[in-house]
Amino acid sequence: MFRNIGILVFLSLLISYPCFAEEPTEMNMQIDQRSYTLGGLATFAEMVRVGVKTLALSAAVTPEEMDDLVEDAERIAQEEGVMLCRETDLIVTDLFPADVAEGKHVLLIYKGATLDHYLALKQKKSELVASGSYAGEARRGIARQFGELLSYPHTVIEELIDKNAGPAQHQE
């Protein structure tokens, strides 16, 4: 008989638990931004490792935030078998809004010679800007090549260029 009473008490507590459980609040539901950023980086590192992406970019963060992340980011990269490069001056193209990484640092996630391709593209853009030729099809071409390095589908590259290239295109 005592056993049955014990079972009934246990079941009643189990059933009534949700009534007494703490309601989730906005405060305890907030995401830890550092963990979120590292989780995104880990996802992109895996995508680069398996060949889904040639180049991936971490979230653009302040230099101080990057200082805090870089050690764990390097551990993730090593676990995934990819490489990282801290970019303090991300190439600006019509693929993204011009100020997307202004004053921020980004980690380039890559394998093999991809970093060389990125740096060559950045240099080519710099030469076009210096010669006053960074306009029209040359400008679109730089954005397309960056999109291809990021393994974006061609239709998405064109949509992003059309969205971000406007009459007030910057030469930088």
Side-chain angles (χ1 to χ4, degrees), residues 37-172:
T37 301
L38 287 169
L41 186 132
T43 301
F44 281 129
E46 180 182 14
M47 293 172 76
V48 169
R49 177 181 56 83
V50 300
V52 174
K53 291 185 72 59
T54 304
L55 173 69
L57 307 174
S58 73
V61 297
T62 66
E64 297 78 21
E65 289 169 319
M66 187 60 75
D67 290 342
D68 184 49
L69 294 171
V70 76
E71 187 176 316
D72 287 326
E74 288 171 349
R75 180 187 49 77
I76 290 167
Q78 184 175 15
E79 288 172 4
E80 289 294 337
V82 298
M83 299 167 75
L84 297 178
C85 176
R86 185 172 182 168
E87 176 61 280
T88 60
D89 186 28
L90 184 68
I91 187 172
V92 176
T93 72
D94 291 329
L95 218 52
F96 304 110
D99 62 351
V100 72
E102 191 173 294
K104 296 185 177 177
H105 291 189
V106 173
L107 290 173
L108 306 177
I109 308 162
Y110 65 95
K111 290 191 314 186
T114 301
L115 180 61
D116 294 334
H117 297 298
Y118 168 80
L119 294 173
L121 181 63
K122 195 172 171 182
Q123 179 62 36
K124 182 177 177 183
K125 183 210 170 191
S126 179
E127 291 168 2
L128 287 169
V129 169
S131 71
S133 304
Y134 186 60
E137 193 54 39
R139 183 182 180 110
R140 288 182 77 88
I142 295 293
R144 282 188 193 108
Q145 290 175 58
F146 189 40
E148 289 167 0
L149 269 177
L150 293 167
S151 304
Y152 289 1
H154 292 290
T155 55
V156 172
I157 292 170
E158 294 303 321
E159 287 171 11
L160 289 171
I161 292 171
D162 289 342
K163 174 183 169 186
N164 293 302
Q169 294 178 346
H170 301 286
Q171 286 290 314
E172 297 175 33

